[in-house]
Amino acid sequence: GGLGAAAERLRPPAAPGQRTDPELLIKASVLLADAALTAKRAGADLTTAVTTGRFGLQALRRPAWAVGAALACTRALTSPSGLGFGANGGVVGELARAAGNVTRRRPAAITMAVDAFALRIEAATVTHPNLDSPHARRLTDALVAGDRLEAVRALHALVERLGVTRALTTISPVIMELLALTALLDEYPGNDSFAWVTLAGGVPTTDPFFGLPSSLLGLLNPGRGRAERAEPDPILAKVLGTSRNDIVSYINDIGALGNHGLVLLRRVTCADGAVRYVLLLPGTSFGLLSNSTPQDLVGAFDGCLRTDTTYTRAARKLLARAGVPAGSELMLVGHSLGGLTAMNLASDPELAGEFRVTHVVTLGSPIDNKRPADHTTQVISLVNKHDVIPMLDGRGPASPNDIPDSWVELAWLDESYDYPLSHAPQAYSDSLRGELAHYRDRVNDLIRRYDGEITHNQPYMLRDR
């Protein structure tokens, strides 16, 4: 079924002039997703039941029963009123599934999964009207229908009308759903895992096009990590000279560090007399796929899927080289990949056992699938909803899953509509200094324990090796 059919069947009728409540659409999507996953498991169980050696032994003893059981399972697996060619699992099941993909036989599980994704897209459209434009609708409808040629034409028309960056920003709220639909409805079975994990609300460990595992990223990003003290240039020194324990100030510091390998370790003698540390972690350099620092695109993808990365290894060596005393309280503040790395560091039980990671503050980072090792760590996530990058963890505005209640997520829509402008540290800084000053005040209240005198600012250059 397509988007319109799913919406008509599952959403309650809305009053004239009103849109359906997106929460109801998400609830319907969750029910359909559960049904799709259950049907997929049932297909795997039935396939296993008639293809194992145990069934063969039973067939030798009770041939009449075996024939009847095999016919019943086959009917259930292939009938349009049953699982609709739902064989999967094991060698035989995967061969049958691949044959079904090539011949475009759509199992009931996939039909329900497509409808679930369609409802998620519809829910996002309610709160993101740009998705409801004719050009955007043409693209989403084509992907829901599995019409790749029409989808390519629709994407070309969308880019031609809006340009690449605005087109990307327009579809960013449902980018994971669109990638999952692409993986689910092509004839190649190797990338289906991406779609099923996305449907279940998890974080895919494969790419959506070829189904390549995340372990390959480890081979592309094998650096041991290295940290060397560096001297600030005049511009950075001037910015750091006016810095203080304020979220806008931290964002400006990160912007001044750039994204060519520099990070900053700060020592603060706080108002209560305690000495605490702040580690500032900038994001990705988009110049090259890979460079000599951990702040590259390979590192960004690696950070999304794993916690032990070149960036985290280099940051741990920084803390050791700086001689940060064991047991010290530490706040990690990062933008984009830097925020990911902050969460990856906080997720490391060894680091959490050596230091007291009190806060993780991220901006524009896809961290929602990660959890700190210490449950008392305060996580603060700042998200510009026009920013594409925070959606890469699979939890967009149409996601059926939510973050822990203890986290503080502050999200907004601002005037920096286009990506990458919407992702820049300056866009976040401008928002928090303007209409969102109350968000700035809230974050500053949460990090108040770090108020005090900055006694040392030390930049470090991080390298892959």
Side-chain angles (χ1 to χ4, degrees), residues 325-379:
S328 295
E329 293 191 355
L330 178 65
M331 176 164 66
L332 306 171
V333 184
H335 167 248
S336 188
L337 170 59
L340 260 178
T341 302
M343 271 304 281
N344 286 337
L345 288 166
S347 302
D348 180 3
E350 184 176 337
L351 184 136
E354 185 175 359
F355 306 107
R356 168 81 172 88
V357 182
T358 61
H359 296 75
V360 173
V361 185
T362 70
L363 48 142
S365 302
I367 63 166
D368 298 335
N369 60 300
K370 300 179 182 288
R371 299 293 181 267
D374 184 347
H375 72 279
T376 65
T377 297
Q378 175 68 73
V379 178

Side-chain angles (χ1 to χ4, degrees), residues 46 49-50 55 64-79 82-83:
L46 285 174
V50 296
F55 181 80
W65 167 85
V67 170
L71 288 174
C73 288
T74 300
R75 281 196 298 271
L77 285 168
T78 59
S79 171
L83 295 175

Side-chain angles (χ1 to χ4, degrees), residues 113-128:
V114 170
D115 282 351
F117 283 128
L119 287 173
R120 289 193 198 179
I121 293 171
E122 183 67 23
T125 301
V126 174
T127 52
H128 291 75

Side-chain angles (χ1 to χ4, degrees), residues 125-147:
T125 301
V126 174
T127 52
H128 291 75
N130 290 308
L131 282 169
D132 202 23
S133 67
H135 284 80
R137 277 285 190 185
R138 180 185 175 190
L139 175 62
T140 56
D141 287 352
L143 288 170
V144 167
D147 188 340

